[in-house]
Amino acid sequence: MYWLVNGGILMYFIVFMSILGLYVIIERAIYFRVNENIDMSRIRPILRNAIEKNDIKGAITTLGNQKSSTAKVIKEVLIYWYKTRSTNVETLEEKAREVALAQVPKLERNMWLLSVVAHTTPLIGLLGTVTGMIKAFQAVSLHGTGDASVLASGISQALLTTAGGLFVAIPSIIFYNYFNKKIDDQINDMEKGSAELINYFRK
């Protein structure tokens, strides 16, 4: 409460940004924990064995029980191949690319909000620093420098908004980069998984 009272109106914007950033961090953490926490390296041998036995329905059923983006891409390619029996590599690659592109927005959902929080909050803190110092110098010009308490309010506002902005921005930047790494890993896994399947059909 002390920070809100002494940090000025900009501190309310920083608090709002912190709530927004926390929401995105929790939402993305839950999404990746629930949907993208599958080790496809354990599933690939099962799929390979099913495909080699021409048990395409079994492979599709196995993939249907998985929520990961990679599993969805491979499943859709298998379904497409099962329905069309097309061995045209270019067509299968196009289907894999189409499904993968549909998964990317799910992976990147709300990431732009976290980016806004990470990059905007320090600027709000800096703006608070500037306005706080302006307030302090205005107080000096009106009352002189004889009383240190005249400067206290403006300097306090400047320091509190700076600290508040950094407290929010630093974890936001850390989690933004962390989630981006997970997104890149999932995209690479989708590409690798679909390439392995299409190479099997290529043989």
Side-chain angles (χ1 to χ4, degrees), residues 39-157:
D39 185 4
M40 287 300 296
S41 62
R42 294 182 300 173
I43 300 174
R44 285 191 179 101
I46 300 173
L47 294 177
R48 192 178 301 113
N49 185 53
I51 293 171
E52 287 174 353
K53 292 180 178 179
N54 203 31
D55 182 17
I56 305 302
K57 285 187 177 180
I60 293 172
T61 301
T62 299
L63 291 166
N65 296 326
Q66 310 301 323
K67 295 181 179 181
S68 73
S69 300
T70 303
K72 290 177 181 178
V73 172
I74 297 174
K75 183 183 74 172
E76 290 302 320
V77 173
L78 278 175
I79 291 173
Y80 179 80
W81 180 85
Y82 184 75
K83 289 180 177 179
T84 64
R85 297 292 175 173
S86 172
T87 55
N88 187 298
V89 173
E90 287 75 17
T91 304
L92 294 175
E93 287 177 343
E94 186 61 33
K95 182 64 179 178
R97 192 177 301 112
E98 174 189 329
V99 181
L101 287 174
Q103 295 302 312
V104 171
K106 298 177 183 179
L107 294 170
E108 295 180 343
R109 182 184 176 191
N110 289 331
M111 287 298 293
W112 70 275
L113 286 174
L114 192 57
S115 176
V116 169
V117 172
H119 293 93
T120 304
T121 311
L123 298 179
I124 297 176
L126 179 60
L127 180 60
T129 302
V130 174
T131 56
M133 295 308 294
I134 290 173
K135 180 180 178 181
F137 283 117
Q138 285 177 336
V140 169
S141 67
L142 290 174
H143 304 287
T145 57
D147 187 358
S149 63
V150 171
L151 292 170
S153 177
I155 294 176
S156 175
Q157 177 180 319

Side-chain angles (χ1 to χ4, degrees), residues 2-48:
Y2 170 81
W3 285 46
L4 287 175
V5 172
N6 293 278
I9 190 171
L10 290 175
M11 188 60 71
Y12 289 91
F13 287 98
I14 292 174
V15 170
F16 171 75
M17 285 293 188
S18 70
I19 295 171
L20 184 61
L22 183 61
Y23 160 74
V24 176
I25 289 170
I26 293 174
E27 187 273 330
R28 287 290 81 192
I30 293 173
Y31 172 84
F32 283 111
R33 179 69 181 85
V34 173
N35 297 286
E36 305 294 345
N37 196 33
I38 306 298
D39 185 4
M40 287 300 296
S41 62
R42 294 182 300 173
I43 300 174
R44 285 191 179 101
I46 300 173
L47 294 177
R48 192 178 301 113

